[in-house]
């Protein structure tokens, strides 16, 4: 928090006080993020959902995770293993994590850099969403793209017009990533 | 050369077209970052009402951009977050600041804000970051709880809020996700209890807690989830007011981290979370509707004096505002009226030793002649300090009356050598009232003395004992008129107990 730009006319003493307190509170915040992410991890391990998994990266930094989604049956992604990265901001869960597809993917709502167009990862983010609910949303998006706001317009068009051709594009673009 | 290219050239470092000059001024205005002050509604609309030709050129230009550029602009626009200056919750400040903001705005707003600064002398500004309404109510809740200074009540509220946790479970929120929000709320309850225990004079600890981003967000999230659960468990009350299915409304408007509260959400927050505390909530709408005062709207079933959260609403933004009663400081003053009469009890014209001829009494400042005051035989009362008390205005009143009308007929008389009970700060500049508090205690003549029939006192509501609006005081032998300072907050809190 930076309050140095504050309008000090009315608030100088209080603002300074708040700044002091906040630097002390900063540590608590990190602890809270950690606590929350540990709780999420615990939950994922105790009651895993079929087709999704996630784990913090090996570097011991709880703020970056790698997740896996298995392509749902009866979708063009059936049987494919898709890897994603989660990066959590310091004020998680009050800001959404940054989620990217690491595995190259052909889909109306994901672009070729793996960026995701999903409202719950933007302005509709809620602090009760979590790694598990994000992964489940993405999993269902694989079978039901939102063609109203595509990032990949060609994919959106093809999804509606030619499912066969769409699947060919999916398989052509897919490449399994090595386990790191 | 197309007009469209011309316009876009302003985004690049070079301006190859000499013609740009004639558009330059216009575009600079339109693109200037909007000021944050509220009168802006007016100036903004002017700035964003460009002549049709330019708008068209602008859109045709968008088509000319390559997809990559479009994507880049889209990304920039998606990620744009205005820098919102200021604390999440400001310290209390004079409402005259609001009046100043509107001094040059629409006359209706100027009139309303001037009147508001008198009836509601203090405000607390919320940061306009998309949570201001939620934050105002959450802060107001804890502030009210603290102001009551009742440790038992804090315990009771903590228990009540925690008991609502079962509603979160019932609608399916996972406890490992919401527990950090409850922890934060509990911490603020503990701080409130400790502050009461320590006899803290002011609510600085709360201001600090709410300016901690994490704590602030956690408490707001907790209140959001309780509101959401309440709505889902009582859908009938709200669904008819929503354009979305209630579940979807909650997911996209209530559970989110930065969606501003709307009227339905606010009502649900009051119903589900706040009203159980017995606190009142009132909104004062500041807009350009007709009238010379803000429009109050009561959200709770009642608004108990001393335990009512007041929100000032300007389109798109909520702040907290405090009525005069919360900051009133009452001290004894010389009872001029009764010093001149030896018989206090019968309340009728005959008992008054001075002329109550209504025509004479209505001459402004007749009684204000200092010579008259000096010469009058009187014995100042000893400066006892009775506990300052709040008064309450009859709850049936619908509008805050213009202070001019309310007080103008009451002449004020400066009294020599008043007991300097309170070192009061200089009052804020009164724009619509004659300065009454700067020159010491004054005599307050009840307007009723001008009425011919004083036997029927139009008392319509239960008054607290020391309410200045309670005309029944004049029947009481021990009655002392009170002197109030509209801007002395600390003293009020401090000497309350």
């Amino acid at each position: 928090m930076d309050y140095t730009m504050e309008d000090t006319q009315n608030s100088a003493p209080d603002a300074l006080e708040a700044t002091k307190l906040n630097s002390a509170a900063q540590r608590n915040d990190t602890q809270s993020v950690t606590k929350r992410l540990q709780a999420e991890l615990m939950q994922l391990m105790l009651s895993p959902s079929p087709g999704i998994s996630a784990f913090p990266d090996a570097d011991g930094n709880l703020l970056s995770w790698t997740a896996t989604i298995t392509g749902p049956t009866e979708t063009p992604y059936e049987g494919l293993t898709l890897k994603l990265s989660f990066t959590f901001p310091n004020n998680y869960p009050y800001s959404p994590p940054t989620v990217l597809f690491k595995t190259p993917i052909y889909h109306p709502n994901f672009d070729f850099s793996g960026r995701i167009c999903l409202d719950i990862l933007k302005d509709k983010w809620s602090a009760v969403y979590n790694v598990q609910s994000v992964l489940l949303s993405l999993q269902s998006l694989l079978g039901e793209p939102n063609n109203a706001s595509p990032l990949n317009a060609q994919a959106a068009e093809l999804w509606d017009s030619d499912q066969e051709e769409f699947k060919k594009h999916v398989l052509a673009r897919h490449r399994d990533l090595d386990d790191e | 050369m197309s007009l469209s290219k011309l316009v876009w050239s302003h985004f690049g470092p070079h301006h190859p077209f000499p013609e740009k000059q004639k558009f330059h001024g216009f575009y600079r205005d339109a693109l200037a970052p909007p000021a944050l002050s509220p009168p802006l509604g007016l100036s903004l609309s002017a700035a964003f009402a460009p002549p049709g030709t330019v708008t068209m050129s602008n859109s045709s230009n968008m088509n000319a951009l390559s997809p990559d550029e479009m994507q880049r602009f889209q990304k920039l626009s998606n990620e744009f977050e205005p820098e919102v200056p200021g604390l999440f919750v400001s310290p209390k400040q004079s409402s005259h600041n609001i009046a100043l903001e509107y001094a040059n705005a629409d006359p209706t707003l100027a009139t309303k804000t001037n009147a508001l600064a008198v009836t509601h002398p203090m405000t607390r500004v919320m940061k306009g970051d998309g949570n201001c309404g939620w934050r105002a109510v959450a802060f107001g809740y804890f502030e009210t709880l603290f102001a009551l200074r009742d440790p038992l009540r804090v315990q009771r509220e903590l228990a009540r809020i925690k008991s609502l946790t079962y509603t979160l479970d019932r609608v399916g929120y996972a406890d490992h996700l919401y527990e950090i929000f409850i922890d934060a709320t509990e911490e603020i309850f503990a701080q409130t209890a400790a502050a009461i225990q320590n006899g803290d004079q002011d609510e600085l600890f709360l201001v600090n807690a709410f300016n901690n981003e994490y704590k602030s967000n956690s408490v707001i999230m907790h209140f959001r989830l309780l509101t959401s659960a309440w709505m889902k468990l009582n859908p009938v009350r709200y669904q008819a007011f929503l354009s979305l299915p209630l579940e979807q409304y909650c997911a996209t408007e209530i559970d989110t981290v930065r969606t501003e509260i709307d009227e339905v959400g606010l009502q649900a927050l009051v119903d589900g979370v706040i009203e159980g505390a017995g606190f009142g909530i009132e909104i004062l709408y500041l807009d350009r509707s007709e009238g010379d005062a803000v429009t109050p709207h009561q959200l709770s079933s009642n608004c108990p004096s001393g335990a009512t959260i007041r929100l000032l609403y300007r389109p798109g933004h909520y702040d907290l505002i405090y009525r005069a009663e919360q900051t009133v400081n009452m001290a004894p003053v010389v009872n001029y009226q009764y010093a001149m009469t030896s018989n206090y009890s019968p309340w009728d014209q005959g008992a008054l030793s001075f002329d109550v001829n209504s025509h004479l009494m209505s001459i402004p400042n007749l009684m204000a002649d200092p010579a008259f005051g000096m010469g009058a035989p009187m014995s100042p009362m000893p400066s006892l300090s009775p506990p300052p008390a709040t008064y309450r205005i009859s709850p049936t009143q619908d509008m805050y009356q213009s202070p001019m009308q309310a007080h103008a007929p009451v002449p004020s008389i400066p009294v020599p050598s008043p007991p300097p009970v309170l070192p009061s700060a200089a009052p804020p500049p009164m724009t619509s009232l004659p300065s009454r508090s700067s020159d010491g205690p004054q005599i307050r003549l009840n307007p009723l003395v001008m009425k011919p029939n004083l036997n029927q006192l139009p008392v319509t509501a239960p008054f607290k004992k020391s309410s200045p609006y309670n005309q029944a005081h004049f029947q009481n032998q021990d009655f002392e008129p009170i002197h109030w300072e509209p801007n002395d907050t600390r003293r009020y809190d401090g000497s309350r107990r």
Side-chain angles (χ1 to χ4, degrees):
Chain A
M1 283 272 106
D2 182 14
Y3 290 129
T4 50
M5 298 300 288
E6 220 48 60
D7 172 8
T8 50
Q9 228 166 11
N10 301 298
S11 59
D14 294 342
L16 281 176
E17 199 59 36
T19 314
K20 266 184 250 158
L21 276 176
N22 268 358
S23 54
Q26 208 76 49
R27 263 168 285 130
N28 293 340
D29 300 354
T30 323
Q31 281 169 9
S32 304
V33 182
T34 307
K35 185 180 171 193
R36 161 71 184 253
L37 287 172
Q38 279 167 342
E40 287 195 32
L41 182 58
M42 184 88 83
Q43 196 62 28
L44 274 167
M45 306 215 298
L46 289 179
S47 54
S49 306
I52 63 171
S53 66
F55 205 76
D57 288 343
D59 60 2
N61 175 11
L62 208 56
L63 293 181
S64 82
W65 291 28
T66 298
T68 308
I69 300 179
T70 308
T73 50
E74 291 170 30
T75 71
Y77 305 91
E78 185 168 353
L80 301 182
T81 301
L82 306 161
K83 284 200 184 293
L84 304 96
S85 71
F86 277 68
T87 312
F88 299 93
N90 278 318
N91 61 346
Y92 182 78
Y94 303 112
S95 289
T98 306
V99 186
L100 286 177
F101 273 96
K102 294 318 242 182
T103 308
I105 184 165
Y106 184 83
H107 184 279
N109 301 114
F110 313 142
D111 72 8
F112 287 149
S113 317
R115 284 188 292 240
I116 296 167
C117 177
L118 187 61
D119 58 353
I120 66 161
L121 289 175
K122 297 196 174 108
D123 57 320
K124 299 303 179 197
W125 170 255
S126 163
V128 287
Y129 293 148
N130 54 88
V131 176
Q132 192 167 22
S133 60
V134 168
L135 287 175
L136 289 172
S137 299
L138 290 173
Q139 195 181 32
S140 78
L141 201 58
L142 288 176
E144 295 164 43
N146 174 9
N147 282 346
S149 62
L151 268 185
N152 180 341
Q154 187 212 24
E157 221 176 286
L158 214 50
W159 175 277
D160 289 330
S161 59
D162 190 345
Q163 281 281 326
E164 289 271 304
E165 189 63 20
F166 184 92
K167 184 159 186 183
K168 270 184 210 160
H169 277 78
V170 168
L171 294 176
R173 176 140 180 86
H174 182 81
R175 182 167 53 83
D176 270 323
L177 290 187
D178 296 334
D179 278 334
E180 285 144 46
Chain B
M1 166 194 358
S2 81
L3 183 60
S4 52
K5 274 186 181 161
L6 183 72
V7 171
W8 273 101
S9 71
H10 292 282
F11 289 93
H14 307 295
H15 301 278
F17 305 102
E19 290 88 339
K20 71 183 156 64
Q21 287 307 334
K22 62 184 164 192
F23 293 94
H24 198 254
F26 165 73
Y27 256 84
R28 198 176 43 213
D29 288 346
L31 293 172
L36 282 167
S37 59
L40 169 83
L42 311 170
S43 55
L44 249 195
S45 55
F48 285 129
T53 51
V54 182
T55 316
M56 278 171 60
S57 76
N58 207 345
S59 61
S60 67
N61 223 299
M62 289 299 242
N63 297 334
L65 281 176
S66 77
D68 272 359
E69 273 175 295
M70 286 288 282
Q71 204 172 338
R72 197 168 62 84
F73 281 123
Q74 184 64 50
K75 189 163 146 45
L76 283 176
S77 131
N78 288 348
E79 288 167 5
F80 175 75
E81 274 187 31
E83 278 293 316
V84 190
L87 292 167
F88 286 124
V89 175
S90 85
K92 264 191 198 176
Q93 47 186 258
S94 167
S95 299
H96 281 278
N97 293 348
I98 298 177
L100 286 177
E101 283 177 39
Y102 289 95
N104 295 320
D106 185 278
T108 314
L109 290 173
T111 309
K112 285 186 180 183
T113 48
N114 276 324
L116 186 70
V118 176
T119 56
H120 295 73
M122 302 303 274
T123 41
R124 199 187 286 282
V125 178
M126 300 292 130
K127 188 171 181 171
D129 66 346
N131 270 321
C132 59
W134 291 98
R135 192 174 285 117
V137 173
F139 184 90
Y141 168 78
F142 281 104
E143 185 182 36
T144 305
L145 194 55
F146 174 64
L148 294 171
R149 310 244 173 193
D150 181 348
L152 271 178
R153 190 147 182 185
V154 176
Q155 289 311 314
R156 228 167 56 214
E157 275 305 298
L158 172 61
R160 184 180 68 86
I161 295 287
K162 285 192 78 175
S163 76
L164 292 175
T165 304
Y166 87 95
T167 63
L168 302 184
D169 297 325
R170 270 187 65 187
V171 300
Y173 294 118
D175 59 352
H176 74 278
L177 298 177
Y178 65 61
E179 62 185 1
I180 56 171
F181 314 137
I182 297 181
D183 289 350
T185 307
E186 234 176 290
E187 196 182 324
I188 294 187
F189 270 114
Q191 281 182 302
T192 308
I196 294 174
Q197 196 95 46
N198 300 339
D200 279 13
Q201 295 294 300
D202 57 35
E203 63 292 326
L204 182 64
F205 74 96
L206 268 184
V207 176
N208 286 337
F210 272 79
N211 278 310
N212 172 301
E213 188 185 3
Y214 208 90
K215 272 188 209 166
S216 204
N217 284 341
S218 302
V219 174
I220 290 168
M221 201 60 215
H222 187 192
F223 279 31
R224 278 180 181 270
L225 294 186
L226 291 177
T227 304
S228 184
W230 168 264
M231 291 183 81
K232 288 170 190 167
L233 296 173
N234 300 275
V236 181
R237 177 158 163 67
Y238 303 102
Q239 181 61 72
F241 299 98
L242 302 175
S243 52
L244 304 168
L246 192 136
E247 286 280 337
Q248 196 186 339
Y249 171 82
C250 287
T252 58
E253 303 292 326
I254 305 290
D255 296 355
T256 43
V257 291
R258 233 188 313 249
T259 315
E260 194 45 84
I261 198 166
D262 64 10
E263 278 168 40
V264 185
L266 185 57
Q267 186 65 57
L269 170 63
V270 172
D271 297 344
V273 185
I274 304 297
E275 196 153 30
F279 296 171
I281 290 210
E282 187 180 48
I283 310 181
L284 308 180
Y285 289 98
L286 176 56
D287 50 33
R288 286 198 291 161
S289 60
E290 245 176 80
D292 52 12
V294 293
T295 317
H297 175 64
Q298 189 174 314
L299 284 175
S300 49
S301 53
N302 62 353
C303 283
S305 173
T308 293
I309 303 163
R310 290 199 168 75
L311 305 171
L312 174 67
Y313 180 77
R314 291 176 267 179
H317 187 72
Y318 287 95
D319 288 316
L320 280 171
I321 193 154
Y322 302 88
R323 206 163 74 175
E325 63 169 5
Q326 291 228 340
T327 58
V328 162
N329 197 344
M330 296 178 180
V333 287
V334 176
N335 182 344
Y336 213 144
Q337 190 173 329
Y338 285 88
M340 290 185 289
T341 160
S342 53
N343 182 5
Y344 296 74
S345 22
W347 180 248
D348 57 52
Q349 276 186 1
L352 298 170
S353 63
F354 58 89
D355 191 359
V356 291
N357 177 298
S358 59
H359 300 293
L360 199 53
M361 291 297 289
S362 64
I363 300 173
N365 292 330
L366 174 69
M367 304 281 282
D369 182 359
F372 178 72
M374 292 286 207
M378 44 173 279
S379 50
M381 294 203 176
S383 62
L384 293 173
S385 263
T390 57
Y391 61 87
R392 80 182 250 157
I393 298 174
S394 159
T396 53
Q397 85 171 33
D398 285 319
M399 298 288 283
Y400 292 104
Q401 289 183 351
S402 159
M404 284 292 253
Q405 294 161 1
H407 297 300
V410 184
S412 61
I413 303 169
V415 176
S417 67
V421 186
L422 294 171
S424 62
M430 298 266 188
T431 46
S432 59
L433 268 184
S435 173
R436 300 171 69 246
S437 53
S438 57
D439 47 9
Q442 294 107 17
I443 297 302
R444 179 174 289 211
L445 288 181
N446 190 301
L448 279 176
V449 297
M450 296 169 208
K451 295 198 175 167
N453 180 3
L454 296 172
N455 292 324
Q456 294 168 355
L457 294 175
V459 177
T460 54
F463 287 102
K464 285 207 168 179
K465 265 190 189 162
S466 47
S467 162
Y469 286 80
N470 185 354
Q471 288 110 0
H473 285 319
F474 293 100
Q475 292 179 314
N476 188 327
Q477 289 203 341
D478 298 321
F479 170 68
E480 298 173 354
I482 43 186
H483 172 224
W484 61 281
E485 293 285 341
N487 57 331
D488 194 346
T489 54
R490 293 267 167 117
R491 192 47 99 102
Y492 168 68
D493 283 338
S495 54
R496 201 185 147 88
R497 298 259 144 188

